Amino acid sequence: MDRSSLLQLIQEQQLDPENTGFIGADTFAGLVHSHELPLDPTKLDMLVALAQSNERGQVCYQELVDLVSAMMSSKRSSSFKRAIANGQRALPRDGLLDEPGLGIYKRFVRYVAYEILPCEVDRRWYFYRHRSCPPPVFMASVTLAQIIVFLCYGARLNKWVLQTYHPEYMKSPLVYHPGHRARAWRFLTYMFMHVGLEQLGFNALLQLMIGVPLEMVHGVLRISLLYLAGVLAGSLTVSITDMRAPVVGGSGGVYALCSAHLANVVMNWAGMRCPYKLLRMVLALVCMSSEVGRAVWLRFSPPLPASGPQPSFMAHLAGAVVGVSMGLTILRSYEERLRDQCGWWVVLLAYGTFLLFAIFWNVFAYDLLGADVPPPP
């Protein structure tokens, strides 16, 4: 049965004969069950709960009409969310934190819901609709690949800290170096290389603690787009602002994820229910600031060997800008389609303009400005 057929059935049954504008929840539920309509059970339960939260046990007829299309699909539309939130009506059940008898995995899903989503309706919807397949493979795969690359170079060079000061390390085809700008893959693959154990540990920890929950809620496409956009923006920003510096580490993508999540928490502060959110916010900002400070020190302090490279810190800042701008748009609604958001197209246009400018800069500006680029290793 399609949407028009269901609307016709509602009209034929005269669910609102007195034209009051409201329909009894029990009446509508009985119609659904008697005709075996293919409606999503979770949405039907939430609609009935919405009506029962009304003093008269009724749901607005116009809201019902708006919901018909959404209830025929497996995904919730924005009209469904607006109808539930309209009039500040609360669902009659307690929050997910009071859900008894959950297994370990469902407890983790509930934890993710409270960490990422600012609205109880969203949290409950995600909790009941979540499926373990497909798993959050992107952030886990990137982190594993970074660890493997680090271990391989550590074993080969017998050097586990400040690896960039080893000449052989910078000869890797993965590192971004201004002398190898024509090798375009390096603008992305540098994310698999790290200065040393400290940087790898910091990035891996944040990718697993923040990136995996974000991927579980928002999906692999959105989070991979956000992460890779931060990585690419990081190397391109360095190529524009710090034309002598190489780049290593996935900090551009990490800071895109972190800044997007932190900005989302701040924008929805009242609705977030993650424990100790203020303390955790302060700790996250302190850790991120200290990492940037360490990168600045490595950039401007004299290197250990006289010819040692000094990786730039601008990738961190570029990733944070990408996270706040693009990330807030991506994380605004975990089910709303990006192409339906006007802000998404504005951010996408701005990012595309930046990419074009960076490409022309790398092609022409180095020669026109006579930049003193250090010889590639």
Side-chain angles (χ1 to χ4, degrees):
M1 177 177 293
D2 57 15
R3 176 180 180 273
S4 59
S5 300
L6 179 57
L7 288 176
Q8 182 179 0
L9 178 61
I10 292 174
Q11 295 171 353
E12 292 175 353
Q13 294 290 327
Q14 295 183 351
L15 300 183
D16 186 22
E18 298 179 0
N19 295 322
T20 62
F22 290 88
I23 299 173
D26 295 336
T27 303
F28 178 71
L31 173 68
V32 170
H33 293 303
S34 62
H35 289 270
E36 298 182 352
L37 300 179
L39 302 182
D40 184 278
T42 306
K43 290 182 178 179
L44 178 60
D45 292 342
M46 294 184 73
L47 178 61
V48 173
L50 166 65
Q52 291 173 347
S53 66
N54 190 309
E55 294 181 357
R56 295 182 293 179
Q58 295 176 325
V59 63
C60 175
Y61 179 80
Q62 186 58 47
E63 289 178 357
L64 176 61
V65 173
D66 293 339
L67 292 174
V68 167
S69 177
M71 293 178 68
M72 298 298 290
S73 66
S74 60
K75 278 206 167 187
R76 179 191 47 163
S77 70
S78 57
S79 63
F80 183 81
K81 179 178 179 180
R82 286 197 304 269
I84 289 181
N86 187 35
Q88 298 181 347
R89 302 180 199 167
L91 296 176
R93 296 175 54 188
D94 294 331
L96 288 179
L97 287 178
D98 302 319
E99 193 80 17
L102 297 179
I104 296 178
Y105 181 74
K106 292 300 289 184
R107 286 177 181 271
F108 178 67
V109 173
R110 182 176 62 183
Y111 162 79
V112 170
Y114 275 88
E115 281 290 308
I116 305 301
L117 297 172
C119 176
E120 183 66 25
V121 172
D122 283 342
R123 290 191 284 261
R124 192 171 301 160
W125 181 260
Y126 167 75
F127 179 80
Y128 289 115
R129 296 291 300 177
H130 174 75
R131 299 293 182 268
S132 58
C133 186
V137 295
F138 176 75
M139 292 311 310
S141 300
V142 168
T143 304
L144 180 61
Q146 290 171 341
I147 294 175
I148 291 175
V149 170
F150 181 84
L151 293 177
C152 290
Y153 277 96
R156 175 184 171 187
L157 305 176
N158 194 25
K159 192 174 182 66
W160 302 96
V161 294
L162 297 179
Q163 290 186 349
T164 52
Y165 291 110
H166 196 293
E168 294 298 321
Y169 186 80
M170 297 304 294
K171 291 182 180 180
S172 169
L174 302 179
V175 174
Y176 167 79
H177 190 279
H180 289 310
R181 299 187 313 280
R183 302 174 184 179
W185 70 84
R186 290 174 178 255
F187 285 94
L188 282 176
T189 57
Y190 78 92
M191 71 180 184
F192 295 107
M193 311 293 287
H194 286 81
V195 170
L197 187 61
E198 181 182 349
Q199 187 190 32
L200 173 66
F202 180 81
N203 287 349
L205 182 64
L206 289 181
Q207 286 172 180
L208 295 178
M209 290 185 61
I210 296 180
V212 170
L214 285 174
E215 186 178 346
M216 289 178 63
V217 173
H218 297 282
V220 62
L221 292 179
R222 291 191 178 195
I223 298 307
S224 61
L225 174 63
L226 177 59
Y227 184 86
L228 294 177
V231 169
L232 185 58
S235 56
L236 290 175
T237 300
V238 171
S239 71
I240 295 173
T241 61
D242 201 353
M243 300 167 68
R244 291 181 50 85
V247 188
V248 294
S251 297
V254 171
Y255 274 64
L257 295 177
C258 293
S259 60
H261 177 56
L262 294 180
N264 189 47
V265 172
V266 173
M267 293 291 292
N268 301 281
W269 186 262
M272 301 301 296
R273 292 293 180 266
C274 47
Y276 308 108
K277 57 184 177 181
L278 180 59
L279 176 61
R280 295 165 63 182
M281 176 77 69
V282 172
L283 289 176
L285 292 176
V286 169
C287 291
M288 294 171 66
S289 301
S290 63
E291 175 66 15
V292 173
R294 177 179 178 273
V296 173
W297 177 81
L298 288 175
R299 176 65 183 91
F300 294 108
S301 65
L304 296 181
S307 60
Q310 299 163 302
S312 177
F313 59 92
M314 291 301 297
H316 301 71
L317 304 182
V321 172
V322 169
V324 173
S325 57
M326 183 180 294
L328 274 181
T329 306
I330 291 178
L331 305 186
R332 189 177 72 174
S333 173
Y334 80 100
E335 278 195 340
E336 186 177 356
R337 293 175 297 184
L338 291 177
R339 64 173 179 267
D340 295 336
Q341 302 182 34
C342 179
W344 165 248
W345 295 107
V346 174
V347 171
L348 196 62
L349 177 62
Y351 189 80
T353 303
F354 164 74
L355 290 183
L356 290 176
F357 173 78
I359 291 173
F360 278 97
W361 181 276
N362 280 272
V363 173
F364 301 109
Y366 278 74
D367 294 332
L368 293 176
L369 297 177
D372 184 18
V373 177

